């Protein structure tokens, strides 16, 4: 008998008192147009409540180190298991974190080599690049070294008393770090650096930390003297300060592969230990699929148990389509989709059961061929006795669901309701937006645009590209297709680095947002709105800024009060004085067309278009609406937007240009089928305006709509990087080498 998770009265974000039952032990897909409330229900309500209640089971001291989850707006949730969120956030960008270490494969490989490798060099810890006995002494296990060009840091033609003798902000003449040299009593402050004796120069540049025997009176009592080189590495280059001053550092340091370990991170002694002629560094440098074959080939009685456990982990990564990744790949270099699939593979071998796994758009970045592998992995999670909740738009993932919840009918304030619950066949017959789109079958474009010239890419060898030569047409819409890891992004990276003209790349990386960034500030219309209020009411425009004169005195313009509870979780409450509006009473006394500044900024983009009709900035608002973001509020924090939404904000900012070359990375990620069709109409407008569009894309609907199609493959990683097809899309169906053609018929 099926049991259910009961959600009663959910009102988080735009949800309109949603109540539903979710079957346990099944795969439930939440679909609907962008902004319809899928994530609000699945992630911000169900997952957030489970994780919040789980965290509360720990002692208060432990809770301070755990992620903070506020109580979601829901009456109650019953029968809710422990929930694990498998999103597209990368693991912490740690230079010592690799695919092998993150998936626990490295720990098992270390054990394998310590038992079976010859000659014997030590136990498991000895094979760790994070342990002194195993790490390369030159790079300390990082695989790369950072060299400081001292002549770009220090002006040797100046003395310590001269201005800007050390070219770094905290070492400028008179600054506290400069005083550690000037006040040491070790140097003549009027003597040029190039005139120092060898002893003086060694002391100035290389001295380790030492206590001065008879320091001058102005030398701090607890301070130690340290040379410039060790001080820069210890205090700047390897710290957060170095990241803040990255632009300055980039002018004087260069990072390169460690010449001693050749990037393997391991010392020579560890590298001397081999199994079947391969050392540990050789194995982690292999693609996962090759590493699996190597492990399975080991025939040694001491390796039986380890080989079985390693095989399970490596096979799970291959099964989900990540066999092309190398085990040494840094986790910080993975795409969001790759990071998410790595997490799925990790949990597949978990002994835990009766869990809820919540996945956010797992099909992102996947070619249709890879989708079938993903589906098998998701079924494996379910069949292990777990409940799987998926926020998804992909037709194939929706079709595999045991239960479907369709949200809508629109986005933002027009969404937040359940428009359908049931199976896939029922959804296809329904009258919801999703049902209507699923009934449609896209056809190849009958008339494609003619190229206005060509860009020639010749003998590209970046990353996995195999001496690739290809022509990219000008003035049309081109799609670069291929399985994950086939070389699509590498081709575009090569193109941009060798093209002498200007290109505009629109990806899903962060656009430099923070909590105070909003659509209004990003589009640079906040000042104009404030001036409209100021002119209407004949007061200062600063009065209508919550970062200035208009700020609520209680919350300082934040709209919330954060109460520090020492080692317990901080409590955020809506400001009782301004009720979250951020403004003081004086600012809210004034109106423009009958509305206060807080009311105007709470308008959605679509509402603002009507309200500000005829204003000079109306086209910027129209652009946001055209890219499907009309549901965003003018004062919505940009930090709450998904990668796909941020990408479309950037796209809106570039809409009305002509003669540009746009390279757009997977623009349909996170988009409902209806939104994809809207986006394609927009791309048509941009192309007809004289722009060249190059889209890295997996959507078959987009491929069929393109003017030109380039496919790379046939596999990922070293199995990719070759040209499989170039030409008009409809002719790919006769291309024998194409992997994609089977999904376009």
């Amino acid at each position: 008998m099926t049991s259910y998770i009961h959600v009663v009265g959910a009102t988080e974000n735009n949800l309109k008192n949603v109540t539903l039952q979710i079957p346990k032990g099944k795969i439930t897909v939440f679909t609907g147009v962008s902004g319809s409330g899928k994530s609000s229900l699945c992630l911000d309500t169900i997952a957030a409540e489970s994780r919040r209640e789980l965290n509360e089971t720990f002692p208060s001291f432990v809770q301070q180190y755990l992620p903070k989850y506020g109580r979601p707006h829901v009456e109650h949730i019953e029968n809710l298991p422990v929930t694990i969120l498998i999103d597209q956030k990368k693991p912490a960008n740690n230079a010592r974190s690799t695919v092998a270490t993150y998936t626990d494969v490295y720990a098992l490989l270390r054990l394998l080599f310590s038992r079976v490798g010859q000659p014997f060099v030590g136990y498991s810890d000895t094979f760790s690049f994070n342990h002194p006995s195993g790490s390369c002494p030159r790079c300390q296990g990082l695989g790369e070294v950072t060299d400081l060009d001292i002549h770009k840091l220090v002006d040797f033609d100046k003395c310590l008393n001269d201005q800007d003798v050390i070219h770094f902000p905290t070492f400028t003449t008179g600054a506290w770090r400069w005083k550690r040299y000037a006040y040491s009593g070790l140097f003549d402050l009027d003597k040029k650096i190039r005139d120092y004796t060898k002893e003086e120069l060694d002391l100035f540049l290389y001295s380790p930390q030492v206590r001065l025997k008879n320091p001058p009176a102005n030398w701090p009592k607890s301070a130690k003297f340290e040379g410039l080189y060790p001080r820069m590495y210890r205090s700047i280059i390897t710290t957060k300060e170095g990241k803040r001053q990255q632009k300055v550092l980039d002018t004087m340091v260069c990072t390169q592969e460690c010449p001693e370990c050749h990037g393997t991170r391991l010392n020579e002694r560890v590298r001397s230990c081999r199994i079947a002629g391969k050392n540990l560094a050789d194995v982690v440098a292999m693609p996962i699929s090759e590493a699996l074959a190597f492990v399975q080939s080991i025939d040694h009685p001491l390796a039986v148990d380890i080989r079985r456990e390693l095989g399970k982990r490596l096979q799970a990564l291959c099964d989900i389509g990540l066999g092309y990744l190398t085990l040494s790949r840094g986790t910080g270099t993975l795409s969001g989709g790759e990071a998410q699939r790595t997490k799925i593979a990790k949990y597949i071998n978990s002994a835990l059961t009766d869990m809820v796994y919540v996945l956010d758009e797992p099909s992102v970045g996947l070619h249709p061929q890879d989708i079938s592998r993903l589906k098998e992995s998701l079924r494996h999670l379910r069949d292990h006795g777990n409940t799987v909740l998926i926020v998804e738009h992909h037709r194939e993932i929706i079709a595999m669901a045991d239960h479907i919840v369709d949200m809508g009918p629109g986005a933002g304030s027009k969404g937040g309701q359940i428009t359908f619950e049931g199976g896939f066949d029922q959804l296809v017959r329904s009258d919801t937006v999703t049902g209507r789109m699923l009934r449609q079958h896209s056809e190849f474009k009958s008339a494609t645009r003619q190229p206005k010239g060509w860009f020639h890419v010749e003998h590209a060898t970046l990353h996995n590209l195999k001496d690739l030569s290809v022509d990219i047409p000008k003035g049309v819409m081109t799609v670069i297709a291929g399985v994950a890891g086939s070389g699509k992004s590498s081709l575009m990276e090569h193109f941009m680095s060798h093209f002498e003209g200007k290109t505009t790349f629109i990806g899903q990386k962060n656009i430099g947002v923070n909590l105070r960034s909003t659509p209004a500030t990003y589009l640079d219309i906040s000042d104009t709105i404030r001036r409209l209020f100021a002119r209407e009411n004949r007061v200062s425009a600063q009065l209508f800024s919550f970062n200035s004169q208009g700020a609520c005195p209680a919350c300082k313009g934040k709209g919330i009060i954060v109460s520090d509870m020492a080692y317990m979780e901080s409590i955020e409450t809506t400001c009782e004085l301004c009720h979250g509006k951020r403004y003081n009473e004086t600012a809210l006394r004034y109106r423009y067309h009958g509305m206060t500044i807080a009311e105007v900024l709470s308008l959605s983009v679509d509402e603002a278009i009507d309200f500000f009709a005829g204003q000079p900035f109306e086209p910027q608002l129209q652009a946001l609406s055209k890219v499907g973001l009309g549901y965003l509020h003018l004062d919505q924090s940009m930090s709450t937007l998904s990668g796909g939404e941020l990408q479309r904000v950037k796209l809106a900012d570039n809409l009305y240009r002509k003669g540009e070359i746009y390279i757009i990375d997977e623009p349909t990620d996170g988009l409902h089928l209806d939104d994809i069709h809207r986006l394609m109409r927009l791309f048509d407008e941009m192309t007809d305006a004289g722009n060249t569009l190059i889209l890295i894309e997996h959507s078959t609907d987009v491929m069929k709509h393109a003017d030109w199609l380039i496919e790379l493959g046939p596999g990922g990683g070293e199995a990719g990087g070759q040209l499989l097809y170039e030409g008009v899309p409809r002719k790919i169906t006769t291309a024998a080498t194409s992997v994609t053609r089977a999904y376009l018929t």
Side-chain angles (χ1 to χ4, degrees):
M1 180 177 173
T2 303
S3 60
Y4 294 87
I5 300 169
H6 299 271
V7 180
V8 179
T11 56
E12 185 72 19
N13 299 329
N14 69 331
L15 297 180
K16 297 187 172 58
N17 200 31
V18 169
T19 296
L20 78 160
Q21 293 185 335
I22 301 169
K24 294 179 69 175
K26 305 289 184 182
I27 295 175
T28 297
V29 168
F30 294 79
T31 188
V33 298
S34 299
S36 60
K38 307 178 299 297
S39 296
S40 295
L41 177 56
C42 198
L43 279 68
D44 300 337
T45 301
I46 298 171
E49 178 63 6
S50 174
R51 301 179 85 178
R52 185 188 70 82
E53 293 203 18
L54 178 63
N55 285 2
E56 287 186 353
T57 66
F58 294 99
S60 299
F61 178 76
V62 176
Q63 289 184 36
Q64 67 174 320
Y65 299 107
L66 298 174
K68 305 297 187 290
Y69 302 99
R71 184 185 293 274
H73 295 92
V74 59
E75 286 184 24
H76 63 271
I77 303 178
E78 299 173 358
N79 208 17
L80 179 62
V82 172
T83 299
I84 294 177
L85 177 60
I86 307 179
D87 57 16
Q88 293 177 25
K89 290 180 181 176
K90 300 178 186 179
N93 191 5
N94 186 329
R96 296 184 179 275
S97 178
T98 66
V99 170
T101 60
Y102 182 72
T103 57
D104 297 328
V105 165
Y106 197 72
L108 289 168
L109 285 173
R110 284 163 37 202
L111 191 60
L112 178 68
F113 272 84
S114 69
R115 288 189 179 180
V116 180
Q118 293 294 328
F120 176 80
V121 298
Y123 297 102
S124 178
D125 282 351
T126 304
F127 291 85
S128 172
F129 55 76
N130 292 324
H131 194 280
S133 61
S135 63
C136 167
R138 172 74 190 276
C139 65
Q140 280 80 51
L142 290 173
E144 58 185 27
V145 291
T146 302
D147 292 327
L148 172 66
D149 187 338
I150 199 66
H151 289 278
K152 291 183 179 177
L153 175 65
V154 178
D155 190 337
F156 279 60
D157 290 323
K158 291 183 178 180
C159 60
L160 280 172
N161 265 340
D162 289 336
Q163 289 295 317
D164 199 30
V165 60
I166 303 175
H167 308 304
F168 200 82
T170 51
F171 286 86
T172 54
T173 305
W176 71 275
R177 282 201 173 107
W178 170 85
K179 292 177 182 178
R180 291 294 191 271
Y181 301 94
Y183 292 1
S184 66
L186 299 173
F187 310 103
D188 180 348
L189 303 189
D190 294 316
K191 185 178 182 179
K192 292 181 179 179
I193 307 297
R194 62 179 166 80
D195 294 332
Y196 281 10
T197 64
K198 183 180 184 304
E199 291 75 17
E200 287 174 327
L201 196 60
D202 284 348
L203 195 62
F204 180 59
L205 296 180
Y206 304 110
S207 172
Q209 284 190 346
V210 293
R211 288 201 178 278
L212 300 180
K213 292 183 178 178
N214 298 300
N218 57 356
W219 180 261
K221 290 183 179 180
S222 61
K224 292 181 180 180
F225 178 82
E226 186 176 21
L228 260 180
Y229 265 114
R231 182 161 206 152
M232 282 293 293
Y233 280 104
R234 181 181 61 81
S235 301
I236 308 294
I237 294 174
T238 59
T239 67
K240 289 182 180 179
E241 182 177 347
K243 290 180 180 177
R244 289 195 299 269
Q245 303 286 355
Q246 193 67 52
K247 287 186 178 179
V248 180
L249 272 182
D250 286 346
T251 64
M252 57 186 69
V253 300
C254 64
T255 301
Q256 57 193 21
E257 182 183 274
C258 175
E260 192 161 317
C261 69
H262 305 291
T264 64
R265 303 172 180 248
L266 298 167
N267 60 39
E268 188 175 359
R269 180 165 165 264
V270 172
R271 299 199 307 272
S272 71
C273 179
R274 297 175 181 272
I275 299 174
K278 304 287 185 184
N279 62 33
L280 180 55
D282 296 330
V283 176
V284 296
M286 295 176 179
I288 291 170
S289 56
E290 290 183 24
L292 175 60
F294 171 79
V295 168
Q296 290 174 335
S297 70
I298 298 172
D299 184 17
H300 193 287
L302 292 177
V304 175
D305 293 340
I306 306 172
R307 184 178 63 189
R308 182 179 63 251
E309 291 302 314
L310 265 173
K312 283 164 58 177
R313 285 168 170 76
L314 294 171
Q315 189 65 56
L317 289 162
C318 290
D319 288 346
I320 206 165
L322 295 177
Y324 62 90
L325 293 179
T326 61
L327 289 167
S328 58
R329 177 87 171 261
T331 53
T333 68
L334 300 178
S335 69
E338 287 170 335
Q340 186 183 41
R341 294 194 294 281
T342 301
K343 295 175 191 175
I344 296 172
K346 184 177 181 179
Y347 288 121
I348 278 176
N349 290 304
S350 171
L352 298 173
T353 187
D354 197 24
M355 308 285 285
V356 173
Y357 289 97
V358 176
L359 296 97
D360 186 16
E361 301 278 355
S363 70
V364 163
L366 286 184
H367 184 272
Q369 185 187 60
D370 301 312
I371 294 292
S372 59
R373 292 173 173 173
L374 172 65
K375 286 160 59 178
E376 286 305 310
S377 297
L378 295 175
R379 290 190 182 106
H380 191 111
L381 275 180
R382 176 198 62 190
D383 295 343
H384 192 54
N386 301 300
T387 302
V388 182
L389 310 183
I390 309 173
V391 175
E392 187 55 86
H393 294 294
H394 197 284
R395 191 186 302 258
E396 290 292 312
I397 303 296
I398 299 172
M400 72 169 286
D402 302 307
H403 186 68
I404 299 168
V405 177
D406 194 20
M407 302 295 294
S413 60
K414 297 177 182 177
Q417 302 175 55
I418 295 176
T419 58
F420 171 86
E421 282 190 85
F424 181 73
D425 291 341
Q426 296 168 288
L427 176 62
V428 173
R429 293 194 298 269
S430 73
D431 195 38
T432 68
V433 176
T434 306
R436 291 195 296 271
M437 296 308 300
L438 288 171
R439 288 196 293 272
Q440 293 184 14
H441 181 73
S442 58
E443 302 290 342
F444 284 104
K445 185 190 288 185
S446 55
T448 54
R449 299 177 183 89
Q450 292 301 307
K452 298 176 182 177
W454 300 87
F455 300 111
H456 304 288
V457 176
E458 297 181 350
H459 307 295
T461 56
L462 181 66
H463 302 318
N464 68 332
L465 298 179
K466 308 285 196 304
D467 194 30
L468 181 67
S469 296
V470 64
D471 294 333
I472 301 173
K474 298 179 182 178
V476 302
M477 188 193 308
T478 298
V479 166
I480 312 292
V483 299
S486 60
K488 304 181 295 297
S489 296
S490 297
L491 173 59
M492 288 298 93
E493 189 179 336
H494 173 92
F495 173 74
M496 288 186 285
S497 64
H498 288 75
F499 181 63
E500 295 181 357
K502 179 192 172 189
T503 60
T504 300
F505 178 78
I506 302 177
Q508 296 197 6
K509 294 284 177 68
N510 197 301
I511 57 177
V513 302
N514 56 54
L515 285 172
R516 292 184 181 268
S517 298
T518 65
T521 59
Y522 186 77
L523 294 176
D524 201 22
I525 64 175
S526 294
D527 288 343
T528 309
I529 293 173
R530 286 195 283 268
R531 284 195 294 269
L532 288 174
F533 270 85
R535 194 160 52 241
E536 178 86 0
N537 296 281
R538 299 182 181 180
V539 293
S540 169
Q542 292 299 310
L543 186 60
F544 303 103
S545 169
F546 54 71
N547 292 323
S548 185
Q549 294 176 18
C552 166
C555 64
K556 311 301 182 190
K558 294 180 180 177
I560 59 172
I561 301 291
V562 181
S563 302
D564 186 2
M565 302 298 288
Y567 60 85
M568 293 186 67
E569 181 177 343
S570 297
I571 296 175
E572 290 186 1
T573 54
T574 302
C575 176
E576 292 184 0
L577 185 60
C578 69
H579 304 291
K581 294 178 180 178
R582 300 187 176 201
Y583 290 93
N584 58 38
E585 288 184 1
T586 305
L588 295 175
R589 197 179 300 148
Y590 299 102
R591 296 179 179 270
Y592 175 78
H593 291 188
M595 299 182 75
T596 67
I597 182 68
E599 290 169 340
V600 166
L601 291 179
S602 68
L603 293 173
S604 70
V605 170
D606 285 338
E607 291 168 341
I609 289 172
D610 294 332
F611 186 80
F612 289 114
Q615 291 292 339
F617 56 82
E618 186 187 347
Q620 287 134 289
L621 296 171
Q622 292 281 7
L624 271 182
S625 184
K626 274 194 169 186
V627 298
L629 296 176
Y631 58 89
L632 296 182
H633 292 270
L634 295 181
D635 62 353
Q636 185 170 341
S637 173
M638 297 281 277
S639 61
T640 66
L641 304 189
S642 67
E645 287 172 327
L646 288 173
Q647 185 186 42
R648 281 181 282 154
V649 170
K650 284 189 278 187
L651 184 61
D653 205 25
N654 285 275
L655 268 191
Y656 296 105
R657 300 181 186 176
K658 296 182 179 181
E660 301 278 336
I661 301 169
Y662 290 103
I663 298 168
I664 309 177
D665 188 17
E666 301 193 13
T668 66
D669 281 1
L671 288 188
H672 187 270
L673 293 168
D674 185 57
D675 296 313
I676 291 176
H677 287 199
R678 181 189 299 189
L679 192 62
M680 294 315 299
R681 290 194 293 270
L682 187 64
F683 286 158
D684 279 334
E685 288 181 26
M686 294 174 69
T687 309
D688 291 338
N691 297 300
T692 297
L693 268 64
I694 306 172
L695 315 178
I696 301 172
E697 190 51 78
H698 292 293
S699 166
T700 55
D701 289 339
V702 176
M703 292 180 202
K704 290 179 177 179
H705 193 78
D707 301 305
W708 197 257
L709 185 59
I710 295 171
E711 183 186 2
L712 302 184
E718 285 305 307
Q722 303 175 51
L723 181 64
L724 302 185
Y725 177 78
E726 58 177 330
V728 294
R730 65 179 177 274
K731 290 187 178 180
I732 196 173
T733 55
T734 59
T737 56
S738 172
V739 174
T740 305
R741 66 170 184 161
Y743 305 95
L744 291 172
T745 54

